[in-house]
Amino acid sequence: KHFDIDKKYDANLAYWDRPSGNFMVLTNNTGKTRSVSIDLTGSTFPKSGDLTPYSLTASDKATWSSNKIDVVNFEPWETLIYKVK
C-alpha cells in the first residue's frame, strides 16, 4: 500500500513510530509547485496526527486528519519533515 500512495500522488511518504518520537517525511516528486491531498484510507499509516515542523520545514504547509494529509504550496522537490503527536 505504501508504494501505491507514492505512485498515485507523485510523492514519497514515510512515518516512523518510535519511543523517542514519531516523525513523518513527505517529498514532492514533481518539478511543479502544487497542492495535494493524500488519502491514507486502507494504509498502515495512523488516521491523524498533530504536526510540529522539524528544522526548516514551514509550519503552515501540511495538516493530517481524517485519514488525509493535505499540503499547500508544495514546492518542486521539496521535503517536509514533521514530528507527530
Side-chain angles (χ1 to χ4, degrees), residues 4-22:
D4 293 341
I5 290 171
D6 290 351
K7 285 171 146 180
K8 182 175 181 179
Y9 297 101
D10 285 324
N12 286 338
L13 176 62
Y15 178 80
W16 290 270
D17 185 359
R18 302 261 163 71
S20 60
N22 306 334

Side-chain angles (χ1 to χ4, degrees), residues 8-44:
K8 182 175 181 179
Y9 297 101
D10 285 324
N12 286 338
L13 176 62
Y15 178 80
W16 290 270
D17 185 359
R18 302 261 163 71
S20 60
N22 306 334
F23 287 87
M24 179 191 75
V25 177
L26 180 62
T27 301
N28 181 1
N29 286 348
T30 73
K32 297 179 182 181
T33 299
R34 63 192 179 121
S35 294
V36 65
S37 182
I38 299 172
D39 184 0
L40 300 174
T41 303
S43 74
T44 59

